[in-house]
Amino acid sequence: MSGPVVAGVDGSRRSLTAAEWAAREAARRGAALRLVHACPPLPRRVSPVPGVDAWQNVGEQMLGQTVADFRARHPELGIDGEHTGDEPAEALLTAAASTGLLVVGSRGWGGFDGLAVGSVALRVAATADCPVVTVPEARRTGAAWDGADTDEVQLGFDAHAPAEAPTGFAFRAARERGVPLRVVHAWALPPAAPSAWMLTALEEDRAMWEDQESQAVSDALRPWRESFPEVTVVPDVILLNPAEALVRSSERAGLLVIGRRAPARPTELRLGPVAHAVLHHAHCPVAVVPQPAP
């Protein structure tokens, strides 16, 4: 889907880090950048009318200053701002309906110390119509996230049920950045195999099953390699549960791409356990790409 890259901002350091990532992504795509600030009205019982007006004015001023700062740092981009009185998640989901990418900080002003991902980020990642990138506040070292474009792009991949939308997103992201694409396929020992119940599998069994998984990955990636010959693909077949495999691998990634099934009925929209774990524990920005229901 075409349209501007949209980033949610609330004045927090986390949201500004995400907006900076979004600005670099917009420049790569040749797209505009839209900064969205949601400022739902205060209940009348909490604040008198002048207080409500002041609350809105502060939000508008923050957004205006943020837009001005980003225009000064990124003069090559078309940048605008949108101030809305909707709840943050609703405002971002509305914006997502007409954009190609939504970018949010892993959490904003809300929450508590130690909370990795806030409720707004989780909701938009689970329900937005477009891909959603959540940007962490810092690397594991504690340094501010710099969105290093030299790091590889990684894709969480199931060779037995490959999803077209996240795979295409990952290949395009690697091509735009000029970096390798690591395709992470996690697998488990067959539960019916006798050696699966031992502390260690028989070596010949494990080698045979791993060869089968590697062949499945190679077969599933063949059309993508042909469509993106300029992308260096690094298959990574790991004997581990998918969430742990992706979290570990993300330590050396600049962007991790995972899929989300988009059921036909909106009431069923939710993040699966792997996506939920990755969003909470990954060491890099995570793109959650909806895969339309078959």
Side-chain angles (χ1 to χ4, degrees):
M1 184 183 296
S2 60
V5 173
V6 173
V9 294
D10 62 4
S12 67
R13 182 177 59 190
R14 300 177 186 90
S15 74
L16 295 178
T17 297
E20 190 64 38
W21 191 97
R24 290 193 295 271
E25 183 66 17
R28 274 190 292 267
R29 293 175 172 225
L33 173 65
R34 176 168 298 154
L35 303 178
V36 175
H37 176 247
C39 189
L42 294 172
R44 296 293 181 179
R45 66 179 182 275
V46 173
S47 177
V49 173
V52 171
D53 293 340
W55 172 256
Q56 292 294 326
N57 289 337
V58 168
E60 291 175 356
Q61 291 173 11
M62 183 279 296
L63 178 62
Q65 184 60 56
T66 302
V67 169
D69 291 344
F70 272 75
R71 284 174 176 167
R73 289 202 303 278
H74 302 278
E76 77 285 1
L77 289 180
I79 302 175
D80 65 2
E82 179 182 344
H83 178 81
T84 172
D86 294 336
E87 294 292 334
E90 293 300 328
L92 293 173
L93 289 172
T94 298
S98 58
T99 188
L101 185 68
L102 176 62
V103 182
V104 295
S106 53
R107 57 182 270 256
W109 285 115
F112 51 87
D113 289 343
L115 179 68
V117 184
S119 59
V120 172
L122 285 174
R123 185 177 174 196
V124 297
T127 59
D129 294 329
C130 69
V132 175
V133 175
T134 61
V135 181
E137 179 183 10
R139 286 184 180 273
R140 192 173 184 178
T141 59
W145 174 257
D146 57 11
D149 295 334
T150 56
D151 292 339
E152 65 189 17
V153 173
Q154 296 184 354
L155 168 66
F157 191 71
D158 181 355
H160 303 291
E164 182 176 348
T167 303
F169 185 99
F171 269 87
R172 288 188 292 272
R175 181 178 62 187
E176 290 166 356
R177 289 161 172 76
V179 299
L181 173 62
R182 180 176 298 273
V183 179
V184 181
H185 171 79
W187 66 287
L189 296 173
S195 54
W197 302 102
M198 302 178 184
L199 292 177
T200 58
L202 296 176
E203 191 61 32
E204 56 268 29
D205 286 346
R206 172 172 172 168
M208 177 187 66
W209 292 324
E210 188 164 21
D211 286 345
Q212 292 174 349
E213 296 296 323
S214 296
Q215 186 61 53
V217 171
S218 179
D219 292 343
L221 289 176
R222 186 173 296 113
W224 293 99
R225 289 179 184 267
E226 294 172 354
S227 298
F228 294 85
E230 65 274 53
V231 175
T232 299
V233 180
V234 182
D236 200 351
V237 179
I238 305 174
L239 178 58
L240 204 62
N241 74 74
E244 188 174 359
L246 292 171
V247 169
R248 288 187 181 183
S249 185
S250 71
E251 292 186 352
R252 57 178 181 269
L255 176 66
L256 171 60
V257 181
I258 59 176
R260 168 179 66 80
R261 294 290 178 183
R265 290 185 293 176
T267 55
E268 295 177 344
L269 290 174
R270 64 180 182 85
L271 289 173
V274 173
H276 200 274
V278 168
L279 283 174
H280 277 84
H281 300 290
H283 303 283
C284 68
V286 177
V288 180
V289 182
Q291 172 67 26

